[in-house]
Amino acid sequence: MHRLKHSEKAESVPKPCDYFDMIGGVGTGGVIALMLGRLRMPIDEAIKKYIDFSKKVYSDIKRLRTRPEKFKATTFVSGMEA
């Protein structure tokens, strides 16, 4: 994106959603793809938000598990809504 800024002589770094029709991923990449594509975040903001999001979601580990899931889905959903 910095190359595009330079080659187009733009004042700011362009957002990926302005150049790509489809942004996808699986797991962590899927969350980041949502931030960059659907939520139309600039890269720097997406990085900061993902760091905050991952601290909230991945620190809340299920203590008594009866299923293979390690993290709480409700924490993930509330983190995405924030």
Side-chain angles (χ1 to χ4, degrees):
M1 301 311 305
H2 288 282
R3 287 183 189 173
L4 280 172
K5 176 187 174 196
H6 179 72
S7 68
E8 294 188 3
K9 297 177 177 60
E11 292 183 21
S12 61
V13 177
K15 295 188 277 186
C17 60
D18 294 334
Y19 286 87
F20 298 99
D21 293 329
M22 186 181 299
I23 303 172
V26 176
T28 298
V31 174
I32 294 169
L34 285 170
M35 292 175 166
L36 296 174
R38 182 71 176 144
L39 300 177
R40 304 180 61 82
M41 288 183 186
I43 293 171
D44 293 338
E45 181 182 350
I47 290 169
K48 289 175 189 172
K49 294 280 186 178
Y50 182 77
I51 290 169
D52 293 341
F53 170 79
S54 64
K55 285 178 184 175
K56 290 178 195 171
V57 172
Y58 300 126
S59 65
D60 193 7
I61 299 173
K62 289 184 177 181
R63 300 289 179 224
L64 300 172
R65 302 192 284 165
T66 57
R67 294 185 174 175
E69 297 86 12
K70 188 173 181 178
F71 304 102
K72 296 180 181 178
T74 53
T75 307
F76 182 88
V77 171
S78 66
M80 286 302 288
E81 292 173 344

